[in-house]
Amino acid sequence: MIRMDCDILVVGAGILGLSSAYHLKKLNPDKEVLTIDRVGGPGQGNSAKSEGGYRNLFSSDVNYLLAESTIEFMHYLDDELGYDFRMDQIGYLFLYSEEQLDAQKAALEKIERRGSEVRILEKRDLKEMIPELATDFKDDDETGLLSLEPVDCGVFGANCGSVDADALVRAYEAEYLRLGGDILYNVEAESLMLEPEMELGISGEPFVWQGVKIGGVRTSRGDIKAGKTVVAAGVWSERLLKPVGIDPYMRPKKRQIFTFRNTSLSRLFNVNGFNSQGVIPLTILPKASILFRPELSEGSIWLACADDYGRSFGLEDDPQAEEGYYTDNIYHVLVKYFSCFEGVRPANMWAGQYAVNSFDGQPVITGFEGMIYVGAASGSGIMKCDALGRIVAAKYEGRDEVELFGERTFTVSDLGIEKRKVESESLII
Amino acid sequence: MIRMDCDILVVGAGILGLSSAYHLKKLNPDKEVLTIDRVGGPGQGNSAKSEGGYRNLFSSDVNYLLAESTIEFMHYLDDELGYDFRMDQIGYLFLYSEEQLDAQKAALEKIERRGSEVRILEKRDLKEMIPELATDFKDDDETGLLSLEPVDCGVFGANCGSVDADALVRAYEAEYLRLGGDILYNVEAESLMLEPEMELGISGEPFVWQGVKIGGVRTSRGDIKAGKTVVAAGVWSERLLKPVGIDPYMRPKKRQIFTFRNTSLSRLFNVNGFNSQGVIPLTILPKASILFRPELSEGSIWLACADDYGRSFGLEDDPQAEEGYYTDNIYHVLVKYFSCFEGVRPANMWAGQYAVNSFDGQPVITGFEGMIYVGAASGSGIMKCDALGRIVAAKYEGRDEVELFGERTFTVSDLGIEKRKVESESLII
């Protein structure tokens, strides 16, 4: 049994937990910062199951700030500190119909005004650069049935790409340990300790007339008391928060990754005009929220589908990928746009759980006496990790503003609930 | 087994379901409107378990508009249409410390500008009007332990009071039936029918590339197909929405009512200066979110406590009141302010479940193809029922604006998610 005290206890050694722990320890070198996780290594919940995409193309200023500063910090970690989490700046390519492009006009103007590198490609150019891509389906019965969107253009963002999410988590872990932070693996957080702010020593505390605070965490290996508890347990946060009546604001939803290695896909690794690697960018189809990217380290394609409705919210401990989800749902659409997928079956597949924020799609960083909670919606964990870790650390210090990497100022309460200030995002996948 | 079609299917014969059904049928006399409920009568979920308070004292314009117009409509139903749901306009009395009053300054100015009848009472006046009320606790060790707030003043709203929630629900039911609406009781909605917008007749539909809609409801007695399904099932809505990946935005939390009939409380029924009935108003203590009101029909006091933290979210089918919650939690505080409760035990008690909207505390009316969802946070069901029913009906018609009772215009999307426009409320209990 462990019986210990610490100044700051971080629950969850995924990307958000370790980024938070790193920045907390960095700002508070004299404080004892302890991170716990129920499994045996970092990022083994959902972080490492991610598609690993990153992008700075967002209509919302909040999304842009959080992602752009994180991307810059990842470059710094990768280039200056010598970590290798394979930042492949292959770009993001949104394939759009005319109508879809029109809907993004205001967003694209905003993105250009920011100075982000973005190009609008005409159909002609796209066909030349990606000969595999089918753009029109007029005379085909089956595509009528699928009611496919034509590809009239592409929106290409250059400062986007992919990272090895697992290696990124390990980089934060290494930096955190280097600063003297502690981690205990195989320790499961079972419940938050809700305590009276002023203990009276009467049985039954806390009563409703008492001020309450979170005093630490009951774990599978004993109680850990903490001056501040940071809940960064991803979709598992609700198991800790719900029993004390705090909403995690994130709903767990299964998401699957399918990978492919067939030789017919080699053409996707020989595409010029987008990036220095000469490969197809991370590409988003104009239909059914299907996206794929080349994984350069293994010469494979990683594919996902961001389906919206029809799948239950709910926590699963060991979600499994379903091959039928690919063959019955994704394949028919995919192969119409990219015939090189004809007859190709997944070489590998896995499933994780996204955290879906169903009211505005953005991360939440909020607090309660003795506690800070950080939750990030779909994809935000990886691509906004550094900014979110810094905001958690600033909230711990009670500061109103925080400087993100690259000297960008951010108002901490913008991601809270009471004074929340986020715009809705139009460039969604 | 039932096998039927209807134009509009309303799930839930509580206050929100029946107000919605009534306004839908009124605006669409030629459409078949069917309401179902899993139990044998109206309002038997949580509506009839309510404290039954109504008020127009709110800082937020949205809350004010929804409540004020509903209160006027209730007067109309009660006075003009001859229903008797015992609208007792006894007023609301918020007891505040100086500090608490200061925090409400801007809210109170706003309320006065609106022309709502509100009075600020000094301690001296309060003590005269309510001799039972203790206002200062300086020399008492135990009150120090309880860290009680002193009563420095009171904020009294005149156009507030209580209704018999059960009778109100039955009034809506009667009006709805009079218009030719149908109700089937003892029919449980088991799941929403998620269907492709264009059916292809292929097994496995809907696929992710298909547009989807809600086509009706599978019930315990067969399928009911509907042009539009209105989900108004209170805390049970999540059982229908979650499996199709739609968030109800409301979290269920147990709330308890304790009633008292002791003779020592008779003094609370002899209080002058507040209302024509000569009784104490619905009174909110400055500590621990405790409130009580006289129930004139039975000469009893109904008491509740709006505790915030420490109690789990989660759906219970048959929540039970806990006497210990009163004796260990509420009693010690209550008796300090009102010594007439000394030694008094509850004569009756019951529990229901509140729906808590944890992001802004306000009702949500949102849609999906083939479906409208209405959910109302804590207390809104009763006191905003008419306005919410009208907004649901306007949303069904695809209108952007709706006229609430008393010729007040309201923008439908203000209670939606995407274009949500609600201010946070400062006058919370």
Side-chain angles (χ1 to χ4, degrees):
Chain A
M1 289 294 270
I2 305 167
R3 269 204 193 279
M4 59 192 300
D5 286 354
C6 58
D7 297 309
I8 305 171
L9 173 63
V10 178
V11 180
I15 185 66
L16 288 181
L18 285 169
S19 166
S20 299
Y22 164 69
H23 287 295
L24 282 162
K25 185 67 186 171
K26 195 168 181 192
L27 287 179
N28 303 280
D30 299 333
K31 297 252 160 97
E32 285 181 90
V33 181
L34 170 64
T35 301
I36 61 170
D37 200 286
R38 62 185 192 140
V39 296
Q44 299 309 298
N46 285 308
S47 297
K49 291 175 177 169
S50 152
E51 168 89 7
Y54 70 83
R55 60 165 163 147
N56 69 344
L57 281 201
F58 289 104
S59 64
S60 137
D61 288 333
V62 168
N63 270 337
Y64 169 72
L65 261 176
L66 300 177
E68 179 81 2
S69 70
T70 298
I71 294 169
E72 270 189 37
F73 185 74
M74 290 197 294
H75 278 298
Y76 164 79
L77 270 181
D78 203 57
D79 301 344
E80 311 280 316
L81 298 190
Y83 288 99
D84 181 15
F85 38 84
R86 299 199 313 269
M87 270 191 97
D88 289 324
Q89 194 175 325
I90 55 175
Y92 262 47
L93 177 64
F94 290 83
L95 298 175
Y96 279 144
S97 68
E98 204 64 62
E99 207 181 328
Q100 291 173 324
L101 182 68
D102 279 352
Q104 299 295 350
K105 220 163 180 178
L108 291 169
E109 279 166 14
K110 202 166 169 189
I111 288 167
E112 277 172 356
R113 275 200 303 278
R114 276 184 205 136
S116 294
E117 211 180 315
V118 61
R119 266 153 64 201
I120 308 210
L121 299 157
E122 290 180 34
K123 190 200 291 190
R124 204 176 37 190
D125 300 328
L126 281 175
K127 286 177 87 79
E128 211 166 283
M129 293 161 88
I130 316 173
E132 276 62 44
L133 174 66
T135 56
D136 296 276
F137 311 100
K138 271 171 198 149
D139 304 306
D140 183 330
D141 268 6
E142 199 193 337
T143 55
L145 213 68
L146 294 165
S147 51
L148 294 183
E149 298 286 342
V151 175
D152 295 318
C153 60
V155 170
F156 177 70
N159 191 19
C160 308
S162 67
V163 296
D164 178 341
D166 183 56
L168 175 64
V169 176
R170 288 176 194 278
Y172 272 107
E173 186 200 35
E175 284 297 299
Y176 167 64
L177 291 171
R178 202 180 53 80
L179 294 174
D182 293 313
I183 307 187
L184 283 171
Y185 287 112
N186 300 309
V187 175
E188 181 160 5
E190 291 176 342
S191 62
L192 297 175
M193 294 154 70
L194 190 78
E195 297 175 349
E197 282 195 296
M198 286 194 315
E199 202 162 325
L200 305 174
I202 305 172
S203 136
E205 288 185 86
F207 302 106
V208 293
W209 41 266
Q210 284 179 299
V212 286
K213 63 168 187 186
I214 303 299
V217 172
R218 292 190 204 288
T219 80
S220 54
R221 297 195 32 218
D223 293 354
I224 304 177
K225 286 195 156 279
K228 189 74 90 174
T229 301
V230 176
V231 176
V235 295
W236 292 279
S237 295
E238 76 171 48
R239 286 199 183 152
L240 295 174
L241 298 180
K242 206 175 138 179
V244 292
I246 300 174
D247 196 325
Y249 303 105
M250 304 285 157
R251 316 289 158 223
K253 198 178 249 193
K254 182 157 108 175
R255 284 285 163 86
Q256 306 173 46
I257 306 272
F258 300 91
T259 74
F260 305 88
R261 290 172 198 260
N262 201 284
T263 48
S264 72
L265 302 178
S266 61
R267 282 168 282 174
L268 301 176
F269 289 82
N270 190 10
V271 168
N272 290 311
F274 288 109
N275 46 46
S276 63
Q277 295 89 341
V279 298
I280 195 164
L282 188 150
T283 298
I284 301 105
L285 301 191
K287 175 85 190 176
S289 305
I290 295 166
L291 64 148
F292 65 80
R293 69 168 178 89
E295 169 53 45
L296 298 176
S297 71
E298 54 182 34
S300 63
I301 295 289
W302 286 25
L303 182 143
C305 173
D307 59 343
D308 251 352
Y309 293 101
R311 188 176 288 278
S312 179
F313 289 123
L315 195 55
E316 297 176 56
D317 263 331
D318 190 20
Q320 295 298 319
E322 309 141 31
E323 188 162 352
Y325 183 67
Y326 174 72
T327 49
D328 298 340
N329 282 282
I330 297 168
Y331 177 76
H332 303 288
V333 173
L334 176 65
V335 80
K336 288 290 173 189
Y337 290 100
F338 286 91
S339 58
C340 51
F341 280 93
E342 184 92 48
V344 175
R345 303 191 75 84
N348 195 5
M349 56 190 173
W350 61 87
Q353 287 203 290
Y354 255 23
V356 177
N357 168 342
S358 50
F359 63 91
D360 64 18
Q362 306 267 9
V364 168
I365 295 179
T366 183
F368 181 69
E369 293 301 322
M371 191 198 85
I372 295 171
Y373 163 64
V374 53
S378 54
S380 295
I382 302 300
M383 70 176 100
K384 299 172 191 159
C385 62
D386 192 68
L388 295 175
R390 284 173 205 262
I391 298 168
V392 167
K395 193 165 175 63
Y396 175 76
E397 313 259 297
R399 283 189 277 132
D400 296 333
E401 296 206 319
V402 54
E403 196 175 288
L404 305 180
F405 193 73
E407 294 178 14
R408 296 169 174 92
T409 303
F410 190 86
T411 303
V412 173
S413 60
D414 284 1
L415 289 185
I417 295 297
E418 277 178 44
K419 299 182 181 169
R420 192 164 181 80
K421 205 173 150 199
V422 299
E423 310 137 84
S424 64
E425 176 61 47
S426 73
L427 267 165
I428 44 180
I429 296 178
Chain B
M1 288 296 270
I2 304 166
R3 267 200 194 283
M4 59 191 300
D5 285 354
C6 59
D7 298 309
I8 303 172
L9 173 63
V10 178
V11 180
I15 185 65
L16 288 182
L18 285 170
S19 166
S20 299
Y22 164 68
H23 286 295
L24 283 161
K25 185 66 186 172
K26 195 167 183 193
L27 286 179
N28 304 279
D30 300 334
K31 297 252 159 97
E32 286 181 89
V33 182
L34 170 64
T35 301
I36 60 172
D37 200 286
R38 61 185 192 139
V39 296
Q44 300 308 299
N46 284 309
S47 296
K49 293 177 177 168
S50 154
E51 167 90 7
Y54 70 83
R55 60 165 163 148
N56 70 345
L57 281 202
F58 289 104
S59 64
S60 137
D61 289 332
V62 168
N63 270 338
Y64 169 71
L65 261 176
L66 300 177
E68 178 81 2
S69 69
T70 297
I71 293 169
E72 270 188 37
F73 185 75
M74 290 196 295
H75 278 299
Y76 165 78
L77 270 181
D78 203 56
D79 302 343
E80 310 279 319
L81 299 188
Y83 287 99
D84 179 16
F85 38 85
R86 300 201 310 271
M87 269 191 96
D88 290 324
Q89 195 176 323
I90 54 175
Y92 262 48
L93 176 64
F94 290 84
L95 298 176
Y96 280 144
S97 67
E98 204 64 64
E99 207 182 329
Q100 289 173 325
L101 182 70
D102 279 352
Q104 298 296 349
K105 220 162 180 178
L108 291 169
E109 280 167 15
K110 203 167 167 189
I111 288 167
E112 278 173 355
R113 275 200 305 276
R114 276 185 206 136
S116 295
E117 211 180 316
V118 61
R119 266 155 64 201
I120 308 209
L121 299 157
E122 289 178 35
K123 190 199 292 190
R124 205 176 36 188
D125 301 328
L126 281 175
K127 285 177 88 78
E128 212 166 285
M129 293 161 89
I130 316 172
E132 275 62 45
L133 175 66
T135 56
D136 295 275
F137 311 100
K138 273 174 195 145
D139 304 307
D140 183 331
D141 267 6
E142 199 193 338
T143 55
L145 213 68
L146 294 164
S147 50
L148 295 182
E149 297 286 342
V151 176
D152 295 318
C153 60
V155 171
F156 177 69
N159 191 18
C160 309
S162 68
V163 296
D164 178 341
D166 185 54
L168 176 64
V169 175
R170 287 177 194 277
Y172 273 106
E173 185 200 38
E175 284 297 299
Y176 167 64
L177 290 171
R178 203 180 54 79
L179 294 174
D182 294 312
I183 307 188
L184 283 172
Y185 287 111
N186 300 308
V187 175
E188 181 160 6
E190 290 177 341
S191 61
L192 296 175
M193 293 156 69
L194 190 78
E195 297 174 349
E197 284 197 293
M198 288 194 314
E199 201 163 327
L200 304 174
I202 305 172
S203 134
E205 289 184 84
F207 302 106
V208 293
W209 41 266
Q210 284 179 299
V212 287
K213 63 167 188 189
I214 302 299
V217 173
R218 291 189 204 290
T219 80
S220 54
R221 297 196 30 220
D223 293 353
I224 304 177
K225 285 194 156 279
K228 189 74 88 175
T229 300
V230 176
V231 176
V235 294
W236 292 279
S237 294
E238 78 170 46
R239 284 200 185 152
L240 295 174
L241 299 179
K242 205 174 139 181
V244 293
I246 300 174
D247 196 325
Y249 303 106
M250 303 287 157
R251 317 288 157 224
K253 197 179 249 192
K254 183 157 107 174
R255 283 287 162 87
Q256 307 173 47
I257 307 272
F258 300 90
T259 74
F260 306 87
R261 289 169 197 261
N262 201 285
T263 48
S264 73
L265 302 179
S266 60
R267 284 167 280 175
L268 301 176
F269 289 82
N270 190 9
V271 169
N272 291 312
F274 289 110
N275 46 47
S276 63
Q277 294 90 342
V279 298
I280 195 164
L282 188 150
T283 299
I284 301 106
L285 301 191
K287 174 84 189 178
S289 303
I290 295 168
L291 62 149
F292 65 80
R293 70 168 177 90
E295 169 54 44
L296 298 176
S297 70
E298 54 180 36
S300 63
I301 295 289
W302 286 25
L303 181 143
C305 173
D307 59 343
D308 251 352
Y309 293 101
R311 190 176 286 279
S312 180
F313 289 122
L315 196 55
E316 297 177 54
D317 263 331
D318 190 19
Q320 296 297 321
E322 310 141 31
E323 188 163 353
Y325 183 67
Y326 173 71
T327 48
D328 299 339
N329 282 282
I330 296 169
Y331 177 75
H332 303 289
V333 174
L334 176 64
V335 81
K336 288 288 172 191
Y337 290 100
F338 287 90
S339 57
C340 51
F341 280 94
E342 184 92 47
V344 175
R345 303 193 75 82
N348 194 6
M349 55 187 173
W350 61 87
Q353 288 203 291
Y354 255 24
V356 177
N357 168 342
S358 50
F359 63 91
D360 63 21
Q362 306 267 8
V364 168
I365 296 180
T366 183
F368 181 68
E369 292 300 322
M371 191 198 87
I372 295 171
Y373 163 64
V374 53
S378 54
S380 295
I382 301 300
M383 71 175 99
K384 299 174 193 159
C385 62
D386 193 69
L388 296 175
R390 284 172 205 263
I391 298 168
V392 167
K395 192 165 176 66
Y396 175 76
E397 312 258 296
R399 282 189 278 134
D400 295 332
E401 296 205 320
V402 55
E403 196 175 288
L404 304 181
F405 193 73
E407 295 180 10
R408 296 170 174 91
T409 302
F410 190 87
T411 303
V412 173
S413 60
D414 284 1
L415 289 185
I417 295 298
E418 275 177 47
K419 298 179 181 171
R420 191 164 183 81
K421 205 174 150 197
V422 299
E423 308 137 85
S424 65
E425 175 60 48
S426 73
L427 266 165
I428 43 181
I429 298 177

